[in-house]
Amino acid sequence: MANSTFTRTLNSETQSAAFARRVAARLSSGHTLLLEGPVGAGKTHFARSAIKSLLLDDEDVPSPTFTLVQTYDSTAGPIWHADLYRLTSDYEVEELGLMDAMEDAICLIEWPDRLGSLMPAEAAVLAFTPDPYDENKRSLTATWSGATWDAVFKGLAHD
Ligand SMILES: Nc1ncnc2c1ncn2[C@@H]1O[C@H](COP(=O)(O)OP(=O)(O)O)[C@@H](O)[C@H]1O
Ligand SMILES: [Mg+2]
């Protein structure tokens, strides 16, 4: 299936949060978003903003830097937020339950390259790139294929 893509600018962390909420409102069980970009690019900011907008109970959304995954109950069902930077093996992915979660939950995954061959083909990719001249600006490229993701990203290429 052919890929679809757009690249847009996120001018501030407020605008990034608003974009995350617009995406979140359209997510449902089985959607996996792969969040790419260097340290400080805004992967956690995106995930936190998305999760907070869907939480059943107001709770903190810490970075899963050390726990690898944090799970939440949301109005759209279970959400898994993963940061795989410290992942050590494919076995650990199984052990965490992440493969099953990608079938049944909404999954937001930072450092998805760590999944290697376990990377889900049906997932959409959001790649964040810092701006070398403006610390509050990010470039975001979304890449996906399929009608389900078409519906998620429809109208989100611009504000
Ligand atoms: N436009 C923007 N979008 C996202 N984050 C931004 C933006 N401008 C500044 N920031 C800041 O950049 C940092 C991104 O950190 P974080 O989300 O933890 O990055 P990552 O998870 O990619 O390492 C946050 O402190 C956030 O406030
Ligand atoms: Mg992070």
Side-chain angles (χ1 to χ4, degrees):
M1 212 177 323
N3 277 344
S4 302
T5 188
F6 66 75
T7 296
R8 58 161 296 161
T9 302
L10 299 166
N11 283 309
S12 63
E13 64 172 78
T14 307
Q15 201 179 29
S16 293
F19 175 80
R21 289 192 292 268
R22 292 173 76 191
V23 173
R26 297 175 185 173
L27 294 178
S28 55
S29 301
H31 278 138
T32 294
L33 273 176
L34 307 178
L35 308 176
E36 296 183 348
V39 172
K43 303 179 296 296
T44 299
H45 180 67
F46 174 92
R48 180 177 291 129
S49 306
I51 292 165
K52 284 226 169 228
S53 72
L54 297 175
L55 278 181
L56 285 178
D57 303 311
D58 189 31
E59 56 181 310
D60 283 342
V61 179
S63 173
T65 312
F66 297 105
T67 53
L68 297 190
V69 298
Q70 299 283 145
T71 60
Y72 301 91
D73 288 326
S74 88
T75 53
I79 304 182
W80 285 50
H81 179 195
D83 179 337
L84 302 181
Y85 190 79
R86 289 179 167 73
L87 194 75
T88 51
S89 68
D90 284 3
Y91 174 71
E92 208 175 358
V93 176
E94 298 288 353
E95 203 176 34
L96 287 166
L98 197 54
M99 298 313 290
D100 291 336
M102 288 193 272
E103 306 278 320
D104 306 331
I106 293 170
C107 291
L108 308 175
I109 304 181
E110 302 182 43
W111 298 102
D113 55 303
R114 301 297 193 270
L115 287 171
S117 63
L118 298 178
M119 193 117 67
E122 322 73 40
V125 178
L126 295 181
F128 297 85
T129 309
D131 186 301
Y133 305 108
D134 184 343
E135 62 177 335
N136 294 315
K137 212 164 145 180
R138 304 289 186 271
S139 167
L140 168 74
T141 299
T143 309
W144 71 92
S145 66
T148 333
W149 286 114
D150 287 346
V152 170
F153 290 118
K154 190 172 162 54
L156 296 188
H158 309 279
D159 273 339

